[in-house]
């Protein structure tokens, strides 16, 4: 999170008076912490990895592949709605699964590499308001921003599913070579 927040350092009147932390050192520390946990992963491992992938200086192919492997091991590709786990965890699992799905599809498009997730093996239901921990109250400050975030996340999932169809039918090695 700090790596992402550092992009806005100069926009804050309080912070820009101080020396900005070393981005390369912070990224190095983040990568080490992630690699220390990736062998015994938890949901927070995937969360941290997805955040690190949003840092613009991060090469994503290897880390995305590791996170997808971790996700399969944690069952993030499965519908957990009937599992005997707390509701907050069901929602988190679904959001993480979709977040990783989106990361895979869009990084595939950007890098020209094949996507690593096959949609037929990624069995998540659509997100609902119940999958988000924040309870939006009409009078609560910032509630409209929370609602916008939910809508954008849902729409981004839909766009990613369309992209997945394109990647799996149009942008394949066979179709670009002219073979069915």
């Amino acid at each position: 999170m700090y790596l992402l927040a550092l992009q806005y350092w100069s926009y804050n009147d309080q912070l820009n008076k101080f020396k900005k932390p070393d981005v390369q050192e912070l990224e190095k520390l983040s990568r080490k912490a992630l690699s220390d946990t990736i062998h015994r992963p938890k949901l927070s491992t995937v969360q941290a990895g997805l955040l690190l992938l949003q840092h613009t200086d991060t090469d994503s192919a290897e880390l995305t592949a590791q996170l997808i492997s971790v996700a399969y091991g944690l069952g993030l590709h499965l519908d957990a709605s009937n599992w005997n786990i707390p509701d907050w965890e069901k929602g988190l699992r679904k959001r993480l699964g979709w977040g990783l799905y989106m990361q895979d599809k869009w990084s595939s498009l950007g890098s020209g590499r094949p996507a690593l997730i096959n949609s037929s093996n990624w069995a998540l239901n659509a997100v609902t308001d119940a999958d988000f921990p924040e309870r939006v109250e009409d009078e609560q400050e910032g509630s409209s921003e929370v609602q916008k975030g939910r809508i954008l996340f849902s729409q981004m999932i839909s766009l990613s599913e369309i992209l997945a169809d394109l990647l799996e039918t149009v942008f394949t090695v066979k179709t670009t070579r002219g073979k069915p």
Side-chain angles (χ1 to χ4, degrees), residues 85-112:
I85 57 176
D87 289 340
W88 67 264
E89 185 176 340
K90 292 175 186 178
L92 176 60
R93 289 174 152 280
K94 192 186 290 187
R95 293 190 318 272
L96 286 174
W98 279 119
L100 194 53
Y101 181 89
M102 290 186 281
Q103 175 66 36
D104 178 53
K105 301 309 174 188
W106 291 98
S107 65
S108 172
L109 179 67
S111 69

Side-chain angles (χ1 to χ4, degrees), residues 10-28:
S10 60
Y11 299 108
N12 186 300
D13 292 335
Q14 309 276 304
L15 290 176
N16 66 20
K17 297 174 189 172
F18 300 102
K19 182 181 179 216
K20 188 176 181 179
D22 184 344
V23 174
Q24 286 76 26
E25 195 61 34
L26 188 54
E27 183 177 344
K28 182 179 169 183

Side-chain angles (χ1 to χ4, degrees), residues 51-118:
L51 285 170
L52 186 57
L53 284 167
Q54 303 316 302
H55 176 59
T56 57
D57 296 339
T58 303
D59 177 30
S60 65
E62 181 182 329
L63 182 53
T64 300
Q66 285 181 310
L67 290 177
I68 290 169
S69 178
V70 165
Y72 278 120
L74 293 173
L76 293 180
H77 63 297
L78 301 172
D79 173 30
S81 59
N82 293 322
W83 293 8
N84 189 20
I85 57 176
D87 289 340
W88 67 264
E89 185 176 340
K90 292 175 186 178
L92 176 60
R93 289 174 152 280
K94 192 186 290 187
R95 293 190 318 272
L96 286 174
W98 279 119
L100 194 53
Y101 181 89
M102 290 186 281
Q103 175 66 36
D104 178 53
K105 301 309 174 188
W106 291 98
S107 65
S108 172
L109 179 67
S111 69
R113 295 179 182 184
L116 300 171
I117 295 173
N118 184 313

Side-chain angles (χ1 to χ4, degrees), residues 140-152:
Q140 184 178 354
E141 185 177 335
S143 63
S144 65
E145 293 302 313
V146 170
Q147 188 61 25
K148 284 180 194 174
R150 289 178 182 180
I151 292 167
L152 287 172

